[in-house]
Amino acid sequence: MSTNRRSFIKKSIIGAGLLTGANLLGNEAYAYGESFKSSKISLNDGDVILFQGDSITDVGRDRDNRKANDTNALGRGYALLAASELLNKYAAKNLKIYNTGISGNRVPDLQKRWAEDTLAIKPTVLSILIGVNDFWRTIDRGAKTTVEEYKSQYQQLLQETLQKLPNVKLIIGEPFAVKGVGHITDAWYPKFLAYQESAREIAKEFNAILLPYQKIFDNAQKTAPGAYWAADGVHPTLAGAQMMAAAWMDCIK
């Protein structure tokens, strides 16, 4: 790829910036530095919004249903809750919203199905939440995925995406875990923190809006115990899913 082409691709993402969720983040600016400017996504008529990821995004969706804006196709989690608000709030914009998250997925799994489950849909807004399984499988199933592999594979995925969809608006969800709840033991730390840091670095590198879910779940425990938001420490309860959806909506102008 030529230098000019690479420069064009990186500059063509709209929505570079940070999240300043007043309720969930306590008005804190979550950023990487002064040069990382605050911005939110402006939706256009006919936008195609895709939620992509693992079980936290999947949540029992009908994987044979490829329809846009269909309850069964959107699952029962934050993607459905965010989609319902989007469709209600922006009824005149003719949005098309999809969910292709699959339970248990890691970045290598996304790579294998990316052409069909992402690029073929041609999203104009792409929201990705991936990473908890990339680490978790090293704990419970002996997977050998390193944090370096997680980061490089994620980078390759986004580079391919920008080559095919240079104007896509990216939202990167930080993988999260509620420490001391369910599966989340001391064995996760400090190694899991490096996967989270990699997701944050990727968001910065690709000028994506970052959803700092770890900070959001940490702050939520000031009002209710961790299990109230994620019963097993990873998968959100109904309250946790609504909190995630609200944070996601805070990315939209």
Side-chain angles (χ1 to χ4, degrees), residues 64-243:
D64 294 324
N65 187 336
R66 308 287 289 189
K67 296 178 182 178
N69 306 342
D70 188 283
T71 301
N72 292 328
L74 288 167
R76 302 188 303 274
Y78 79 95
L80 172 68
L81 297 173
S84 64
E85 185 169 353
L86 285 166
L87 293 170
N88 178 53
K89 189 172 183 178
Y90 303 103
K93 288 189 178 295
N94 191 32
L95 302 176
K96 293 181 175 62
I97 307 174
Y98 299 87
N99 178 2
T100 55
I102 292 184
S103 180
N105 268 196
R106 301 177 299 155
V107 175
D109 301 305
L110 293 188
Q111 289 179 308
K112 292 174 184 177
R113 61 185 184 87
W114 203 247
E116 179 180 359
D117 285 352
T118 299
L119 300 180
I121 295 172
K122 297 181 179 179
T124 54
V125 178
L126 174 58
S127 175
I128 309 171
L129 175 57
I130 198 75
V132 69
N133 290 317
D134 293 77
F135 173 73
W136 195 357
R137 297 293 82 91
T138 69
I139 293 290
D140 67 350
R141 298 183 189 177
K144 302 300 182 182
T145 306
T146 65
V147 67
E148 291 80 14
E149 288 171 329
Y150 166 69
K151 185 175 183 180
S152 65
Q153 291 165 352
Y154 208 154
Q155 290 168 321
Q156 292 167 14
L157 200 67
L158 294 182
Q159 288 164 358
E160 177 186 1
T161 303
L162 293 177
Q163 288 171 0
K164 302 290 186 180
L165 306 169
N167 295 311
V168 70
K169 306 169 188 179
L170 291 174
I171 298 174
I172 301 295
E174 176 188 32
F176 63 90
V178 180
K179 192 173 183 179
V181 176
H183 303 288
I184 314 306
T185 67
D186 289 340
W188 281 56
Y189 300 94
K191 291 183 178 180
F192 180 55
L193 301 179
Y195 289 76
Q196 295 179 307
E197 178 62 23
S198 292
R200 294 192 292 268
E201 291 173 351
I202 287 167
K204 179 181 180 181
E205 177 183 352
F206 289 89
N207 288 337
I209 289 180
L210 173 73
L211 270 168
Y213 280 130
Q214 187 63 60
K215 190 177 188 69
I216 290 167
F217 275 85
D218 287 348
N219 283 346
Q221 292 177 68
K222 297 174 184 178
T223 57
Y228 181 83
W229 306 104
D232 65 354
V234 173
H235 298 95
T237 60
L238 182 58
Q242 174 57 38
M243 181 171 63

Side-chain angles (χ1 to χ4, degrees), residues 36-65:
F36 203 46
K37 296 180 181 178
S38 174
S39 181
K40 293 189 179 186
I41 289 175
S42 294
L43 295 178
N44 300 314
D45 290 347
D47 265 343
V48 178
I49 300 170
L50 174 61
F51 291 90
Q52 180 61 277
D54 53 33
S55 58
I56 299 170
T57 302
D58 182 345
V59 199
R61 70 179 181 87
D62 180 355
R63 298 176 191 168
D64 294 324
N65 187 336

